[in-house]
Amino acid sequence: MPDHPATVLRPIRVLPAPVVARIAAGEVIERPASVVKELVENALDAGARQIRIDVQGGGLALIRVSDDGCGIPADQMPLACARHATSKLPDDDLEQVRTLGFRGEALPSIATVAELTLVSATDNSGVGHRLVLRGGSVAVSEPAPRSRGTTVTVRHLFQNVPARLASCGRPQTEIREISQTVRRLALAAPHVRMSLYIDGRLTLHTDGGGDLSEALVAVYGAALSGRLIPLGPIEVASARIAGVVAGPEVTRPGRGQITFIVNGRAVQPRGLLAQVETAYRPVLPRGRHPVLAVTIDVPPGLVDINIHPAKLEVRLRAEREIGAAIGEMIRDALGRQPLPLRAEPAVGVAALAPTLVHLAEARPVWDDDAPIITPGLPPLRLIDQVQRRLLLLEGDDGLYLVDQHRAHERVIFEHLVARHGDGGPEPVALPEPLLLELRPAQVARFARRLDDLAALGFQCESFGGRMFLLRAAPALPGVFTTPGDTALAGVGETDGLVAELVALADSEPGEGEGWRQELLVRLACRSAVRRGRHLERPAMRALVEALGHTRAPAVCPHGSPLLIHVSDTLLERQFGWR
């Protein structure tokens, strides 16, 4: 039997340069979007203020990137296409990289898997130089007309690498990837005018004004206009953090419109993404994600950019502190933003339809019209309850509608979270113990959580076999008569409380804090005042006051809006006031 190839003793040798180049190309140039990214980053490093990207055939037929940067001297153009040759690392110090590129691998890697043409000039004399590489070797070197800047053209990508060519998606798929890449690059450089042409059609354009909010609108659509909330700037752990996030009325089903920009580089740091998602999860509906762009500027020595072949990921030295600060900003921004009225209200005769909203009762003259002043809401004057489910309030800039059930949910949830953080709420004995009967498969899992339940204020004990007995539950803010009024969790809703605790036994024990939060959310929902219940005026005021002292007074613990703002501008437009 012949020896297995792995067992044959062969001499160690240095790989030939063409093989090394193809290995490097495989790491750096994964698909057409990788080419676009590398070429646009080169243009940004060259100080370009205008960049045009042309793509044909999904990038496999042609990619052309033109800029007005500093250009490449004619005698240095061959060196620019050599491996590990770069002008961006003058001191050979990887700890102090201030450019997007630094390895000197992009152009030679592209030249290995495609036909590469460079035309560049360093002044406005109108004369530049053209260099054409085929198979990684120089085929043409000649003068060419060009004003200051560089044009790089890539043709027939992966034609000499059939396996890589076959692995590329359909042109539409590659175009989506290219478009997403250019969007992130445009957000990372809002000061640069950037245009993307797909098969001759302009599909993306930014004006280069330098404003991140304007760039976000240009990149993701006019629907964001007027709906962006500024974040920061703040300074944390030697990092300056700023950004913008779309209001809670504009969310997406995926994470594709979340962009982090570290020292001008659009990256996808997994640790920061996870921290930020944990922060916004309680203030957005399940399965929805924000439109978000965050810039993080840190000294170069505090970030490692050399951990990913395509430089898509970085590692920040103070990542945990920075992530916590970003999460706090996003949670506060989304949790405190009232939802603007989206549907156009009926006017004229249509406003007299039977579906017209009526006040619960004719409003008498009240003697408690003093504004409700809280840290989380603008000064508001209570008008009345509407349809036994909404509270109508007036502010300096319009009307506010508050969902009484969701508002009470938010108050109860934050009460439970705060008491849990202070060592746990004081349990209160139930009038009668509640019996929980579990399925055999649930018993062991539920028993392991008895101590955790006790920390939340639930005194629960085994009652033999598949039975558990709940003797006490935490006290919660009740249906307000005074701000300090409390009610026992689940009293009047004992079936619901038992159902939530039994459902807890179906969740996996290794879910960390997730199951605790889910339990508190469900408990808040079960215990909150129901829609359809009449509230006395003191209870309405107390509920609004308590809501204004929460951290996220605009959304319920499920992430749904509880506060809608009808602006003065909308009222003026609808009534035609002048």
Side-chain angles (χ1 to χ4, degrees):
M1 179 180 292
D3 290 334
H4 189 278
T7 65
V8 176
L9 181 62
R10 293 189 174 93
I12 298 173
R13 65 190 182 95
V14 177
L15 291 174
V19 176
V20 173
R22 291 188 66 172
I23 292 172
E27 294 177 341
V28 177
I29 309 303
E30 181 183 1
R31 62 196 314 166
S34 307
V35 175
V36 172
K37 174 182 179 295
E38 297 292 342
L39 296 183
V40 172
E41 286 184 346
N42 279 350
L44 293 172
D45 283 340
R49 303 292 298 190
Q50 297 186 57
I51 300 175
R52 171 171 171 152
I53 305 108
D54 287 271
V55 175
Q56 295 178 13
L60 296 170
L62 179 138
I63 296 171
R64 178 180 291 120
V65 175
S66 303
D67 68 63
D68 62 350
C70 64
I72 307 172
D75 61 340
Q76 293 188 24
M77 289 177 68
L79 189 59
C81 297
R83 293 196 68 231
H84 305 313
T86 181
S87 63
K88 304 172 186 179
L89 209 61
D91 301 320
D92 299 334
D93 187 357
L94 287 174
E95 302 271 326
Q96 297 296 323
V97 175
R98 298 180 182 274
T99 54
L100 300 176
F102 58 91
R103 296 190 184 124
E105 287 188 324
L107 291 179
S109 294
I110 295 169
T112 301
V113 295
E115 179 185 294
L116 177 69
T117 301
L118 280 78
V119 180
S120 190
T122 58
D123 56 39
N124 287 317
S125 65
V127 179
H129 197 81
R130 176 186 291 111
L131 192 72
V132 180
L133 289 88
R134 298 189 182 101
S137 301
V138 175
V140 178
S141 180
E142 61 185 10
R146 180 67 164 86
S147 58
R148 183 177 184 269
T150 302
T151 298
V152 183
T153 305
V154 179
R155 292 184 173 89
H156 314 308
L157 184 62
F158 299 137
Q159 288 297 319
N160 61 344
V161 191
R164 182 62 59 90
L165 180 63
S167 69
C168 289
R170 296 181 303 171
Q172 295 87 342
T173 302
E174 299 305 328
I175 286 170
R176 282 197 299 271
E177 290 292 329
I178 290 170
S179 299
Q180 179 71 329
T181 296
V182 174
R183 290 188 191 103
R184 288 181 173 141
L185 290 165
L187 293 176
H191 61 286
V192 177
R193 181 178 296 176
M194 207 170 292
S195 303
L196 173 63
Y197 289 81
I198 302 293
D199 295 321
R201 182 172 60 89
L202 179 65
T203 61
L204 185 149
H205 176 74
T206 61
D207 63 6
D211 186 273
L212 183 58
S213 295
E214 292 180 1
L216 207 63
V217 172
V219 163
Y220 290 125
L224 295 178
S225 183
R227 296 180 175 180
L228 296 174
I229 308 168
L231 302 173
I234 62 171
E235 292 193 7
V236 175
S238 300
R240 186 179 187 275
I241 306 169
V244 287
V245 61
E249 71 275 17
V250 183
T251 59
R252 299 291 183 260
R255 302 170 183 82
Q257 295 185 13
I258 297 176
T259 303
F260 286 96
I261 303 158
V262 178
N263 289 357
R265 183 190 308 276
V267 295
Q268 301 167 40
R270 286 175 292 182
L272 279 182
L273 282 168
Q275 279 188 276
V276 168
E277 182 167 350
T278 299
Y280 69 68
R281 180 55 45 234
V283 293
L284 288 182
R286 185 184 298 274
R288 305 298 294 184
H289 304 271
V291 179
L292 169 70
V294 176
T295 63
I296 305 169
D297 295 310
V298 297
L302 299 182
V303 57
D304 185 357
I305 61 175
N306 196 29
I307 63 174
H308 191 283
K311 305 184 290 288
L312 292 175
E313 190 169 345
V314 298
R315 185 167 294 128
L316 294 159
R317 184 174 298 179
E319 186 170 289
R320 186 177 297 275
E321 294 91 334
I322 292 171
I326 295 172
E328 185 80 8
M329 285 197 300
I330 295 170
R331 185 169 51 242
D332 286 348
L334 297 180
R336 295 178 179 273
Q337 185 72 10
L339 188 70
L341 188 65
R342 288 175 290 184
E344 292 293 321
V347 296
V349 175
L352 301 178
T355 55
L356 178 67
V357 171
H358 295 284
L359 294 179
E361 296 175 359
R363 182 182 185 275
V365 177
W366 301 105
D367 58 2
D368 62 346
D369 280 350
I372 302 172
I373 309 296
T374 61
L377 296 172
L380 298 173
R381 186 173 62 84
L382 176 65
I383 297 177
D384 213 328
Q385 186 183 28
V386 178
Q387 290 191 334
R388 295 178 180 260
R389 51 185 171 181
L390 295 172
L391 305 184
L392 179 62
L393 301 110
E394 180 184 14
D396 291 340
D397 57 350
L399 300 175
Y400 290 81
L401 290 167
V402 175
D403 183 315
Q404 66 189 40
H405 173 71
R406 291 178 178 175
H408 198 194
E409 276 187 301
R410 168 56 61 183
V411 172
I412 293 173
F413 175 74
E414 294 205 8
H415 171 84
L416 282 172
V417 170
R419 294 296 300 272
H420 181 52
D422 291 337
E426 191 69 28
V428 179
L430 297 175
E432 293 184 4
L434 300 181
L435 188 66
L436 286 68
E437 183 174 1
L438 306 181
R439 298 193 306 271
Q442 298 174 318
V443 173
R445 188 178 297 158
F446 188 78
R448 288 196 293 270
R449 283 187 169 157
L450 292 181
D451 290 342
D452 293 315
L453 288 171
L456 296 173
F458 295 94
Q459 289 186 355
C460 194
E461 61 189 46
S462 175
F463 197 58
R466 297 183 288 116
M467 304 292 188
F468 289 83
L469 206 60
L470 179 66
R471 295 188 179 277
L476 303 177
V479 181
F480 296 84
T481 55
T482 66
D485 183 32
T486 60
L488 291 179
V491 171
E493 289 281 352
T494 55
D495 291 342
L497 179 58
V498 169
E500 297 300 350
L501 292 176
V502 171
L504 180 67
D506 281 322
S507 57
E508 292 297 328
E511 295 172 2
E513 291 296 323
W515 74 268
R516 293 185 182 87
Q517 175 158 312
E518 183 66 22
L519 175 62
L520 298 186
V521 169
R522 292 181 178 186
L523 182 58
C525 183
R526 290 283 186 180
S527 304
V529 61
R530 295 296 172 205
R531 298 184 185 95
R533 176 169 175 177
H534 171 70
L535 296 182
E536 297 294 337
R537 192 170 180 84
M540 297 183 219
R541 286 188 63 93
L543 178 55
V544 175
E545 287 175 3
L547 178 66
H549 283 85
T550 63
R551 296 184 61 184
V555 292
C556 77
H558 299 282
S560 299
L562 64 86
L563 184 63
I564 288 181
H565 179 213
V566 184
S567 68
D568 283 342
T569 303
L570 176 61
L571 294 173
E572 289 171 2
R573 186 170 73 246
Q574 293 298 327
F575 283 98
W577 294 334
R578 296 290 186 268

